[in-house]
Amino acid sequence: MQRATGVRILAGLSLVFAAATGTAADADNEALKKAVACAEIAFALSVENGDSAVFAASVHPDARFVGNGVSRGRAEVVEAWAPFFAPDGPRLTWRPMIVEVLESGDLALSRGPYRLEATAEDGSPIEQWGTFNSTWQRQADGRWQVIFDAGSPAAGELPDEVRKLILEPAGACAK
């Protein structure tokens, strides 16, 4: 009888532990998602604020950024993005809408809208909206760095709530 009771107690404790572990894992994943969202926003703000050092630190040394071509490695990426840091260069703004982190906690995807503002050769303003996709890798020290990045123009008109994400302040992460 005592053995059966002990087995039931152990089984009950195992169920409680499993439930708590699931909840803790979910909470950990949500915390990681928030960390990646904030890393993405800091990355975006580095471009908006003209801080090329923060931008470069956010890019993994072996990163691949895909645009009209492929920039390989941090140095090529920073060079390709130099126009965005020029005082009269194009302005690029983006914010994450979706962030997913693998259960392993070491890779994440962030996706959301971007807005590119530039000046055409004739002096007229250009505005282009699209979607970016960034793959983030967590480093041994806990920092997140972009390892893959790509964007594409919007296929159609973006809903107001998507545009609003870009037009409003960066929120709690922008401290």
Side-chain angles (χ1 to χ4, degrees):
M1 176 84 171
Q2 254 186 343
R3 179 168 161 80
T5 302
V7 169
R8 278 185 288 208
I9 290 172
L10 284 175
L13 287 174
S14 295
L15 288 174
V16 168
F17 179 74
T21 303
T23 304
D26 291 344
D28 287 347
N29 194 269
E30 288 303 313
L32 289 173
K33 285 181 183 182
K34 181 169 176 36
V36 172
C38 287
E40 184 72 66
I41 290 169
F43 188 48
L45 290 174
S46 73
V47 175
E48 291 172 45
N49 298 327
D51 192 338
S52 60
V54 170
F55 176 84
S58 299
V59 177
H60 189 277
D62 193 31
R64 301 295 190 265
F65 277 45
V66 180
N68 292 332
V70 179
S71 298
R72 293 176 178 83
R74 181 184 290 146
E76 277 189 30
V77 169
V78 170
E79 183 180 334
W81 281 62
F84 294 108
F85 296 97
D88 60 344
R91 292 187 36 80
L92 184 61
T93 310
W94 72 90
R95 296 291 182 269
M97 279 184 66
I98 298 169
V99 175
E100 285 295 325
V101 179
L102 294 181
E103 292 304 319
S104 63
D106 59 356
L107 283 177
L109 170 76
S110 60
R111 176 183 170 96
Y114 73 78
R115 179 176 70 172
L116 175 65
E117 298 171 281
T119 305
E121 287 183 24
D122 66 3
S124 62
I126 299 171
E127 180 182 60
Q128 179 183 356
W129 288 80
T131 302
F132 76 88
N133 294 284
S134 299
T135 302
W136 292 81
Q137 184 182 55
R138 190 162 65 160
Q139 306 306 297
D141 64 3
R143 290 179 307 119
W144 289 91
Q145 289 183 316
V146 181
I147 192 146
F148 291 105
D149 187 82
S152 60
E157 192 65 29
L158 295 176
D160 287 342
E161 62 269 12
V162 173
R163 289 176 175 264
K164 186 177 178 183
L165 187 64
I166 296 290
L167 301 173
E168 289 187 344
C173 295
K175 294 180 181 174

